[in-house]
Amino acid sequence: MTESTIQLESTDPAYPNGHPNINAQHTEDNFLVRFLRAPLDFVSPLLISYITWAIILLLVWGLLYCILTTDALPGGSAFNICLLILVAQIFGKAVEYLRLPSLLGMLIAGIFMKNVGLFSVTPGVYEEIVILLREIALTTILIKAGMGLDAAALLKLSFVVIRLALLPCLAETAGASIAAHFILHFPWLWGLLLGFILSAVSPAVVVPTLLELKENGYGNDKSISTLVIAASSVDDIAAISLFGVILGCIFSEGDLTSKIVQGPLEVLIGLAWGLIWGLILACFPNRLDKNVITKRCLMLGSVCSLAVLGSQVIDLAGAGPLGCITTAFIAGVCWKLQGWTHQYVSVPMTI
């Protein structure tokens, strides 16, 4: 209240001590402010954050119960999936304090819960949900990998990428197949099958660690992160394709020639998908759109998810991850060439 207002109220003959409604409103405002500030004054921000997350989890569980009823109760498949995600996040954060990758803690959580009987899902739709969640997580990692590639370094190291991808893959496969044949008495084809399983690189392990090292400035002068991320994608395609060839030789499923051609075909399809959709994402939406970050995140996530999931539907599983990385890489390069550099970091962070 201003001084003139106070003077008016105090000189009012009906209310010589001031207007009661205005004074009550002023007192109520002060009490409300003190009440709202109390949690910040007496409770630590970290505790408030934990309480907030607990409330969010309770609200999400309540929504799940309203939708799924018994499946959201303890012991139900939906409850077990949510519990696994929660425990994996806790184990991941705990392992980070030991300066180890959070993925290690998540793996330990999954192994522990599965073996002690805390995680089980009924066959059918919930198994498909678990598989879908794994593929979405892989897609997210591949998007960040594609946007973290350096175009100039990749062009310079193109032949090095191929050598780094194929030579270790073939060497590991040969070593594993020889060991399986002479130690475990596997037939040679079964030994090769085991070798290609063991030699495949997991992007979920490699990519987050390399991106973290890149953010901290390690290996940027020699583009090590770009080299290894690109090589891991080619390594997966080679391992998956050759695994299919050996599997076809063992069980004689389909034409062997088509399985041999499948590897190069997956590479071409993945590169073509990434090039086309990367250029489309460079044009739509316009970079001056006020919701450009949201729209680009939605479009990039949808295109890459479609590449990973759709490649499995058409039985060309190797094309999906390559198409995902290529799409994110081409789109990122085009966005930078358009001068959209400041908001560029917001897309992988949001995804």
Side-chain angles (χ1 to χ4, degrees):
M1 293 183 297
T2 62
E3 185 176 353
S4 59
T5 307
I6 298 174
Q7 182 66 26
L8 270 174
E9 292 172 354
S10 61
T11 56
D12 191 341
Y15 305 102
N17 295 323
H19 200 286
N21 292 335
I22 296 178
N23 288 337
Q25 180 68 33
H26 184 66
T27 304
E28 183 181 351
D29 287 343
N30 287 335
F31 173 76
L32 180 61
V33 170
R34 288 196 298 270
F35 173 77
L36 293 175
R37 287 177 59 88
L40 300 177
D41 294 336
F42 300 104
V43 182
S44 67
L46 184 62
L47 181 59
I48 292 178
S49 176
Y50 289 149
I51 294 174
T52 302
W53 279 113
I55 294 173
I56 292 172
L57 290 174
L58 287 174
L59 292 173
V60 171
W61 178 82
L63 290 172
L64 285 175
Y65 178 75
C66 293
I67 298 171
L68 303 174
T69 60
T70 56
D71 286 336
L73 293 175
S77 296
F79 182 86
N80 289 340
I81 293 174
C82 295
L83 181 64
L84 175 64
I85 296 173
L86 177 61
V87 174
Q89 291 293 329
I90 294 174
F91 272 62
K93 292 295 181 183
V95 169
E96 283 184 350
Y97 286 107
L98 302 176
R99 297 184 180 275
L100 295 172
S102 60
L103 181 64
L104 177 61
M106 296 178 183
L107 289 172
I108 294 173
I111 295 171
F112 171 76
M113 292 187 65
K114 183 66 176 179
N115 285 276
V116 301
L118 294 177
F119 177 77
S120 62
V121 294
T122 55
V125 63
Y126 287 104
E127 283 187 343
E128 297 297 327
I129 291 175
V130 173
I131 295 172
L132 181 63
L133 290 175
R134 288 203 301 262
E135 298 300 334
I136 291 175
L138 175 63
T139 302
T140 304
I141 294 170
L142 293 175
I143 291 174
K144 295 182 70 175
M147 300 195 74
L149 295 176
D150 185 354
L154 187 61
L155 182 62
K156 181 181 178 181
L157 301 172
S158 55
F159 293 105
V160 181
V161 168
I162 296 174
R163 294 201 304 270
L164 183 62
L166 297 182
L167 293 181
C169 177
L170 297 177
E172 291 175 33
T173 302
S177 61
I178 292 172
H181 179 74
F182 290 105
I183 298 175
L184 302 177
H185 305 292
F186 277 25
W188 282 109
L189 288 179
W190 283 96
L192 289 172
L193 199 69
L194 176 63
F196 284 120
I197 293 175
L198 297 176
S199 64
V201 175
S202 174
V205 177
V206 174
V207 173
T209 304
L210 285 171
L211 291 179
E212 183 178 354
L213 292 174
K214 181 180 179 181
E215 291 175 359
N216 294 330
Y218 294 105
N220 289 343
D221 54 340
K222 296 184 178 180
S223 305
I224 294 176
S225 59
T226 296
L227 173 64
V228 178
I229 290 173
S232 66
S233 175
V234 179
D235 180 284
D236 276 342
I237 294 172
I240 293 172
S241 302
L242 293 174
F243 175 86
V245 172
I246 301 300
L247 192 65
C249 293
I250 295 174
F251 294 103
S252 299
E253 294 180 356
D255 185 14
L256 183 60
T257 304
S258 64
K259 292 186 176 297
I260 295 175
V261 176
Q262 181 174 339
L265 182 63
E266 288 178 348
V267 173
L268 293 176
I269 292 176
L271 291 175
W273 175 277
L275 178 61
I276 293 171
W277 277 105
L279 294 175
I280 292 175
L281 289 173
C283 301
F284 305 97
N286 189 280
R287 65 185 180 89
L288 300 179
D289 192 318
K290 62 179 181 179
N291 296 319
V292 62
I293 294 177
T294 302
K295 291 179 180 179
R296 281 181 170 172
C297 288
L298 289 174
M299 292 182 67
L300 182 60
S302 300
V303 169
C304 293
S305 299
L306 181 60
V308 174
L309 298 176
S311 63
Q312 298 179 359
V313 173
I314 62 175
D315 199 22
L316 293 172
L322 180 60
C324 181
I325 289 182
T326 307
T327 302
F329 171 68
I330 297 296
V333 170
C334 293
W335 293 341
K336 287 180 178 179
L337 291 176
Q338 292 174 349
W340 196 69
T341 54
H342 177 67
Q343 302 92 336
Y344 171 80
V345 183
S346 301
V347 175
M349 292 298 294
T350 303
I351 291 176

